[in-house]
Amino acid sequence: MMKFGLLGRKLGHSYSPMIFDLMGGYRYDLFEREPEGIEDLLRNEDFDGINVTIPYKKEVLQYLDEIDPLAKRLGAVNTIVKRNGRLYGYNSDYYGFLSMVRRTCIDVSGKKVLVLGSGGASVTVRAVLEDLGAAVVVVSRSGENNYDNLHLHADGALLVNATPVGMYPNTGTAPVDVSRFPALEGVLDVIYNPRRTTLLLQAEELGIPCSDGLPMLVAQAKAAEEYFFGRKIPNSENERILAMLR
């Protein structure tokens, strides 16, 4: 039987085993490792494919034999496939967020998009949005565009939360007040637990189209499975699994 799994440090909250079970019903394990255990896992563990979550998406790069150009561009790998003893690295997060944006039917081309956060998730989000033609403004705590000068960006058309603010178990908080952006056409939150963060509840109250991060999580898993098995999977599979999860 082929063997797959998820590599991370703390994985008790992970939805991945459930998602991959709904996709294919194959063996999918959780590989909780401290940093010093990563090389041994990748070099010696018996597996066919592994997904990688924080904090190891950059750490694994040094152990791979080949890295896909997109993953190189983003500087992060979240999908590893073993073929004939060699390790190949890919980034399916890009396709996950791209699918999430397209699912909302929000046209970002030529529009100002505010991305909250400058970490790993922000890099992927920014790459997708720029490829779609958006004018991306990254808001961080200490950057040129920060939480003290948000008034400069009240004309933002889309707001994307790429920070962990509002994520379980620290719920009930939001990185910004949505009402400060009267031109918003949409709000996206990469957080999927809880599904309705305080940020999204604010957007709903104001009648602004919005989405939680579960569609991104499912879509990146589908893309990862395509790498695992070297075959295309219909996009309709995303909606089937989303419906079952919800």
Side-chain angles (χ1 to χ4, degrees):
M1 177 183 290
M2 298 185 77
K3 182 179 177 182
F4 302 91
L6 176 67
L7 168 63
R9 197 166 190 178
K10 301 292 181 183
L11 300 174
H13 66 287
S14 177
Y15 284 27
S16 293
M18 188 186 312
I19 292 172
F20 282 97
D21 183 62
L22 291 172
M23 281 186 174
Y26 43 78
R27 181 173 176 180
Y28 193 91
D29 297 323
L30 296 178
F31 299 105
E32 287 193 346
R33 295 291 190 278
E34 292 299 313
E36 58 271 19
I38 295 175
E39 182 175 11
D40 180 64
L41 168 69
L42 295 178
R43 300 287 191 210
N44 303 315
E45 185 80 26
D46 177 30
F47 67 86
D48 296 282
I50 284 183
N51 293 120
V52 184
T53 189
I54 53 174
Y56 298 141
K57 293 182 183 182
K58 294 183 181 295
E59 179 76 16
V60 298
L61 293 171
Q62 61 188 304
Y63 304 115
L64 304 179
D65 297 295
E66 291 192 31
I67 302 172
D68 179 75
L70 176 60
K72 281 185 178 179
R73 173 187 166 196
L74 298 175
V77 160
N78 76 319
T79 301
I80 298 173
V81 181
K82 184 184 288 185
R83 301 191 190 102
N84 301 317
R86 292 175 61 82
L87 299 178
Y88 296 79
Y90 304 92
N91 189 301
S92 64
D93 284 334
Y94 179 97
Y95 299 106
F97 185 69
L98 177 62
S99 175
M100 180 180 174
V101 174
R102 287 176 171 168
R103 190 173 184 271
T104 64
C105 298
I106 298 171
D107 182 10
V108 301
S109 179
K111 296 177 182 177
K112 178 185 282 190
V113 177
L114 306 181
V115 177
L116 307 181
S118 56
S122 174
V123 172
T124 301
V125 166
R126 187 165 69 248
V128 170
L129 293 169
E130 289 175 347
D131 287 350
L132 292 174
V136 178
V137 175
V138 176
V139 178
S140 62
R141 284 174 292 183
S142 58
E144 177 185 355
N145 299 294
N146 54 67
Y147 295 95
D148 293 324
N149 60 19
L150 288 174
H151 61 280
L152 299 175
H153 306 295
D155 58 340
L158 179 68
L159 182 69
V160 182
N161 180 33
T163 79
V165 177
M167 184 169 64
Y168 178 86
N170 300 311
T171 59
T173 60
V176 296
D177 181 352
V178 177
S179 67
R180 298 180 64 180
F181 308 96
L184 282 180
E185 299 174 22
V187 176
L188 306 180
D189 198 329
V190 301
I191 293 171
Y192 57 86
N193 185 12
R195 277 187 52 212
R196 299 172 76 214
T197 59
T198 298
L199 186 75
L200 295 185
L201 289 171
Q202 288 181 356
E204 288 178 1
E205 187 175 341
L206 294 170
I208 302 171
C210 58
S211 174
D212 61 274
L214 195 58
M216 176 180 176
L217 182 69
V218 171
Q220 71 81 23
K222 180 185 84 74
E225 188 172 73
E226 291 176 335
Y227 287 129
F228 287 160
F229 294 103
R231 59 182 174 85
K232 296 298 292 182
I233 300 171
N235 288 333
S236 58
E237 189 72 351
N238 288 337
E239 296 304 317
R240 181 184 73 84
I241 292 171
L242 269 175
M244 296 179 73
L245 288 173
R246 286 177 167 170

